[in-house]
Amino acid sequence: MGTLNLEGVSFRYPGGDEAVLDRITLAIPAGGIFGLLGPNGAGKTTLIAVITGQLRGATGVVRFGDEPFARVRRAQPRCLGLVPQEYAFYPMLSCRENLRFFGAVQGLAGDELRRRIAAVAAFARIDPVLARRAGQLSGGLKRRLNLAIGLLAEPELLLLDEPTVGVDP
C-alpha cells in the first residue's frame, strides 16, 4: 500500500468565478486515517471526486505511492473503495442482493464473494437485515449498507464522504 499524495491540486467548475480547490497539497501515509473538516461548500466532496476521477479538469498531481493514481486505478480497479455522501445502492433489491451485485461488479465471485459479504455484513452490523429491501431500512442502516458496499473488495484506499450522518452510535 502506498501513500496518497496530492500536489498542488486545483479545480474550478466550468463557468465558476473562483477555484473550489486551490493548490491542495497533502500526503496521507499508508495505514493512515485523514479527515477533511470544513463547512458546507468548502470543497470536501469535490476533492474526493477529483481523487476518484469522477471530476475531470483538475490541475496538479494525485499519486498513490510513486505512480499517478489514475494509472494505479486502471491497473488495480479494486484498490479504491468509495462510500459516497448519498446512498449508492438499489432500494428495490435486498441488502444481500445489493452486496452480491456490487461484489460481482468488482470481480468477486463464488466463495470469495460469500466470504466478503459475510465479513462486511458483520463489520457494518447489518447481518440481521440482509434479506430486507434496502429502501425499507432506517437511515442509519442505509448508511451501514453503503459502508459495507465500499468495503467489499478490501480496498487499499477507502474514501468516506460524510459516512456517519444519521448513523446511531
Side-chain angles (χ1 to χ4, degrees):
M1 184 183 332
T3 297
L4 178 67
N5 289 298
L6 282 68
E7 301 165 11
V9 173
S10 297
F11 182 80
R12 179 186 315 270
Y13 284 101
D17 295 334
E18 301 178 13
V20 177
L21 305 174
D22 189 17
R23 297 181 306 269
I24 305 293
T25 297
L26 60 92
I28 304 170
I33 297 174
F34 185 85
L36 292 173
L37 301 176
N40 292 344
K44 301 177 299 290
T45 298
T46 299
L47 181 60
I48 289 172
V50 166
I51 292 169
T52 61
Q54 294 174 314
L55 276 179
R56 306 244 187 260
T59 58
V61 177
V62 178
R63 294 187 187 284
F64 194 56
D66 295 330
E67 297 209 35
F69 192 47
R71 183 181 304 154
V72 173
R73 286 203 56 218
R74 280 191 300 277
Q76 303 171 31
R78 294 186 341 192
C79 73
L80 173 69
L82 173 63
V83 179
Q85 188 176 76
E86 302 300 325
Y87 300 131
F89 51 76
Y90 294 99
M92 296 306 290
L93 297 179
S94 71
C95 294
R96 180 176 281 108
E97 290 167 333
N98 269 289
L99 291 167
R100 280 187 195 137
F101 172 79
F102 285 103
V105 165
Q106 296 178 70
L108 301 173
D111 288 339
E112 181 185 21
L113 177 58
R114 282 186 286 281
R115 182 182 61 78
R116 290 303 305 148
I117 288 173
V120 299
F123 178 81
R125 295 181 306 159
I126 59 169
D127 1 34
V129 298
L130 283 175
R132 288 184 47 200
R133 276 204 289 177
Q136 296 176 335
L137 300 175
S138 68
L141 286 172
K142 287 177 181 176
R143 292 279 176 204
R144 290 187 203 174
L145 175 58
N146 243 17
L147 175 61
I149 290 167
L151 291 169
L152 269 171
E154 298 181 277
E156 290 184 56
L157 175 64
L158 180 64
L159 300 175
L160 303 107
D161 193 356
E162 300 202 28
T164 59
V165 172
V167 176
D168 296 334

